[in-house]
Amino acid sequence: MNRFFLLCTFIGSFFYTGCSQSTAFDFFSTDTYYEKAVTNMQKASLMRDAETKAILHAVYLNNVDPELYYDDAYFYVAVHIMEDSSEPEHAGLFNADYRLKILGTDTSVNEDDPQKQPQYDPSSIDEEVFESDEAETPKQPAYVYLDPVEIKTLDENDKLRRTMPIRNRWNHFYLVRFEQSPNETINLLFENDQYGQAELTFQKEK
C-alpha cells in the first residue's frame, strides 16, 4: 500500500512539475512586436537649469510594422509637458510652445516653374555668353524641418496604445504622420523657444 502511494505521489509530482514549467515558459515567451517597438523607441528631454520641462518618447512605426506603416513616416508619440495647458485641445503636441518636426526635402520652390525663375535682361549682359560643354553639377536637395502631415490623438482604448511600451497615465499619446524622407536615417526634432531642442535619429530598416 505504501509503495503504491509513493508511486502515485511521484507520478503526480512529475506531471505537476511539467505543467508548471510549461506555464512559466508561456508566460515569459517573446513578444516580437513589443520587442521591435522597444528597439525603435527613443527619448528626448527639454530642460532648463537642470530641471526637466518636457519629456517625449517616440517609436518609429515603419520599422515595427512595415506592412501597415510604409507610405509615409509614422511615429507613436508619448509626451509629457510639466507646465502644460489644462485644455486638451492646447495640450501635448497641440501646445503652441512646443513643436515636433522631421528633416525632409524642401519642395516649396520648383526649379522648372518659369514664374519662380529670375527674369532675363539682355541689357545687363555686356559680354557674349557661350554655353558650357561641361555637364552641370547636380544640385543637392535643400533639407528643412517639416511639420507633421497629421497628428491623431489616441485614447486609452486604442489598440496601438495597448501594444506600445509607454502607457503611463500622465502622458498624451499620438499617432503622428510625416512625409516620407528620402534619407536612410530619420531625424526627428522636438523643440521649444525657451528650453531649446532635442533631436532623435532613427535608422531605416531595409
Side-chain angles (χ1 to χ4, degrees):
M1 182 67 179
N2 291 336
R3 289 182 179 179
F4 179 76
F5 177 77
L6 291 174
L7 179 62
C8 290
T9 303
F10 174 76
I11 294 174
S13 300
F14 175 79
F15 280 111
Y16 179 79
T17 304
C19 292
S20 298
Q21 289 177 344
S22 177
T23 303
F25 178 78
D26 291 341
F27 183 78
F28 292 107
S29 60
T30 302
D31 185 340
T32 305
Y33 196 93
Y34 185 88
E35 269 197 356
K36 283 188 174 182
V38 173
T39 303
N40 290 279
M41 180 178 69
Q42 293 192 37
K43 174 184 175 183
S45 299
L46 298 183
M47 307 182 69
R48 186 177 68 177
D49 299 331
E51 181 181 354
T52 301
K53 295 297 183 179
I55 301 174
L56 179 140
H57 290 83
V59 178
Y60 181 45
L61 294 173
N62 295 55
N63 286 348
V64 178
D65 192 348
E67 292 186 0
L68 182 60
Y69 306 103
Y70 61 90
D71 52 340
D72 284 320
Y74 292 86
F75 292 88
Y76 172 78
V77 174
V79 61
H80 176 55
I81 298 172
M82 307 308 170
E83 300 172 359
D84 206 356
S85 172
S86 58
E87 301 175 0
E89 63 271 20
H90 300 296
L93 290 184
F94 298 113
N95 188 321
D97 295 331
Y98 292 84
R99 294 172 295 277
L100 186 65
K101 298 186 176 185
I102 194 173
L103 188 64
T105 306
D106 184 8
T107 58
S108 60
V109 177
N110 184 359
E111 294 182 358
D112 297 328
D113 188 350
Q115 295 182 352
K116 296 183 179 181
Q117 298 297 320
Q119 296 296 320
Y120 173 67
D121 182 6
S123 62
S124 63
I125 306 298
D126 296 330
E127 298 179 0
E128 187 175 3
V129 179
F130 295 93
E131 184 176 349
S132 174
D133 294 332
E134 298 180 359
E136 292 185 0
T137 304
K139 295 182 179 180
Q140 297 296 324
Y143 291 104
V144 295
Y145 281 97
L146 304 174
D147 294 323
V149 174
E150 181 183 15
I151 300 177
K152 177 185 176 182
T153 303
L154 304 177
D155 60 39
E156 59 182 356
N157 297 318
D158 191 276
K159 181 180 178 181
L160 183 60
R161 277 184 60 172
R162 299 198 302 269
T163 60
M164 290 290 108
I166 303 298
R167 290 175 289 184
N168 47 47
R169 57 184 176 82
W170 54 81
N171 278 305
H172 293 278
F173 300 91
Y174 307 94
L175 174 63
V176 184
R177 179 168 67 93
F178 292 92
E179 290 184 3
Q180 186 61 276
S181 170
N183 296 342
E184 294 182 358
T185 58
I186 300 291
N187 298 89
L188 199 64
L189 186 72
F190 183 47
E191 66 177 356
N192 174 278
D193 291 336
Q194 287 184 305
Y195 311 133
Q197 56 185 220
E199 187 173 74
L200 303 178
T201 303
F202 300 84
Q203 187 70 37
K204 289 183 180 179
E205 292 183 358
K206 297 182 180 180

